[in-house]
Amino acid sequence: MVLSSRMPDLAEFEVLVAIAETGSLGAAARKIGLTQQAVSARLASIEANTGIKLAIRTPRGSQLTPAGVIVAEWAHRLLDVAHHVDAGLASLRSESRTRMRISASQTVAEQLLPRWLVSLRAAAERAGAPVPEVTLTATNSDHAITAVTVGAADVGFIENPAAPCGLRSRVVACDELVVVVAPDHKWSRRRRPITAAELAQTPLVARESGSGTRDSLIAALQRSGCDPEDQAPAVLELSSAAAVRAAVLASHAPAVMSRLAVADDLAFGRLREIATPELDLRRQLRAIWVGARTPPAGAVRDLLSHIAIMHTSRQTATDG
C-alpha cells in the first residue's frame, strides 16, 4: 500500500514527540539537537502537510492540541518501531561485515579462493579491521548460481562461459582449459595436434552436468563448428577435478581440465598437455551476487575489492 503524500517523515514526527515531552519549542530543540527556528519550521511543515493544527503557543511554552496529543502518541509508537528497525539494520550491517557465505565452483574453491581469503585476512589484521568468518562450499557452477539466487550464499564464483541471467557478476580471474592425458597415452606420442572434431568424437573423462568446465568445453566445441549432439559419450562423469585426474591416470582416457588444477601435474610430467589449436579454451571466472550493480557492502565487497587489487598488483609485477 502506498503512503499518502500527506504522511510526515520521521524527522517531523521526532519534533512533535519532543514538543510533547518538553512543553516548549526551545526545550524540544535542545533535546534533539536543532535550533529553535528549525523545530518551528518542522512543526509548521507537519501541520501544513497533514492539514491539522497540532500545537499552540501559550505564555508557558507550547501546548499540543487534542489532535496533537493523539498524533504524538502515534508518532511515539512509530519512532519506537523505527529505532528497533534501525538497530536491526545496524546488526545486519555488522553481520555482513564479519560473516560471509561463499558458494564456489571446484576450480575457484580449490585453486584461487584459499589464496584470496588468506590475503584478505592478513590485510584486515594489518588494518585492524574485523576479520570475516567465512563459510565456503565447493560445488559446481550451476549449484553456486542456485545458492546465490535463493539466498543460501552471499556471493558465488562460477566458471560458466556466460554470465547468468538475473544476477550481477564481475570477472575476477582468467583461466584456460587444457586437454590432458597420462604420459603413456598414445596421444602423448603423436606429433600433430588433435582437431576439434577428433576431441568431440573421443570418449573423455568428464565433469558432471552443470559443471562450468563441461559447459565451457561444449561452448568451445560449438564455436569450432562441432554439434554437441554428436559428441561421444563420456567414459566417466565425475564431480571433482581430483577424481577426473585420478581417472585419467587409471583409465588412460583423455580429459579436459582447468590449467589451474593441473599446473603442477604438467610441470612435473605426471600429465601431458595435448595441443588443440582449433579450439579457443580460454575462459573467464566470475563472481556473482544478487542486487545492485555494486557488490553488497561488507565482507563481500571487501573480498571482491581485495581480489581486484591482487590482480592489479600481479599484472603490474608481470608487466614490470
Side-chain angles (χ1 to χ4, degrees):
M1 179 178 177
V2 179
L3 292 174
S4 163
S5 60
R6 289 177 171 266
M7 177 69 176
D9 61 31
L10 292 177
E12 292 173 335
F13 279 135
E14 191 176 30
V15 163
L16 184 63
V17 170
I19 294 171
E21 292 175 346
T22 62
S24 76
L25 296 184
R30 289 190 294 273
K31 180 179 178 64
I32 59 180
L34 296 174
T35 64
Q36 185 170 332
Q37 291 83 356
V39 167
S40 179
R42 289 191 183 182
L43 176 61
S45 174
I46 191 174
E47 289 181 331
N49 283 339
T50 61
I52 302 169
K53 187 66 176 177
L54 299 173
I56 56 174
R57 295 199 177 195
T58 70
R60 297 182 180 179
S62 296
Q63 180 179 340
L64 296 184
T65 65
V69 171
I70 294 172
V71 175
E73 290 177 355
W74 292 341
H76 189 277
R77 293 201 296 269
L78 181 61
L79 289 171
D80 187 51
V81 172
H83 288 310
H84 278 87
V85 171
D86 190 34
L89 291 172
S91 175
L92 290 175
R93 284 194 297 272
S94 175
E95 182 175 338
S96 74
R97 178 68 62 182
T98 58
R99 295 184 61 191
M100 178 168 44
R101 299 166 302 165
I102 302 173
S103 183
S105 67
Q106 294 276 351
T107 298
V108 180
E110 295 174 357
Q111 307 300 326
L112 296 173
L113 268 168
R115 173 166 52 86
W116 290 343
L117 292 173
V118 168
S119 180
L120 176 66
R121 181 183 184 89
E125 290 175 343
R126 287 194 302 270
V131 176
E133 175 187 334
V134 176
T135 302
L136 171 60
T137 301
T139 182
N140 66 33
S141 292
D142 276 4
H143 291 164
I145 291 170
T146 300
V148 171
T149 301
V150 303
D154 303 307
V155 63
F157 293 90
I158 61 172
E159 308 167 31
N160 295 54
C165 295
L167 295 176
R168 300 292 187 177
S169 70
R170 173 185 295 179
V171 174
V172 293
C174 294
D175 185 26
E176 181 184 22
L177 299 179
V178 291
V179 178
V180 295
V181 296
D184 57 351
H185 189 276
K186 62 181 180 180
W187 282 3
S188 68
R189 296 186 295 273
R190 64 184 277 171
R191 296 186 177 182
R192 55 188 177 83
I194 301 298
T195 66
E198 281 183 285
L199 185 64
Q201 294 162 12
T202 300
L204 303 174
V205 178
R207 287 291 306 275
E208 79 286 6
S209 179
S211 158
T213 295
R214 180 168 178 157
D215 289 347
S216 296
L217 173 61
I218 292 172
L221 288 170
Q222 285 180 311
R223 289 194 299 269
S224 71
C226 296
D227 187 341
E229 296 296 327
D230 296 333
Q231 190 171 353
V235 174
L236 289 172
E237 291 188 6
L238 301 170
S239 61
S240 73
V244 171
R245 174 188 175 279
V248 169
L249 293 173
S251 70
H252 299 295
V256 177
M257 302 183 68
S258 162
R259 185 177 293 279
L260 292 170
V262 296
D264 287 346
D265 292 305
L266 295 176
F268 290 100
R270 292 187 291 262
L271 292 174
R272 299 287 174 81
E273 177 181 351
I274 306 302
T276 53
E278 292 183 0
L279 290 173
D280 181 2
L281 295 174
R282 293 171 297 178
R283 61 181 182 163
Q284 295 176 322
L285 308 179
R286 301 173 185 272
I288 55 172
W289 64 89
V290 173
R293 186 180 302 275
T294 303
V300 171
R301 188 180 299 175
D302 291 345
L303 173 61
L304 297 186
S305 298
H306 190 73
I307 291 170
I309 292 170
M310 291 178 65
H311 178 74
T312 301
S313 299
R314 173 171 290 190
Q315 190 64 47
T316 301
T318 301
D319 293 343

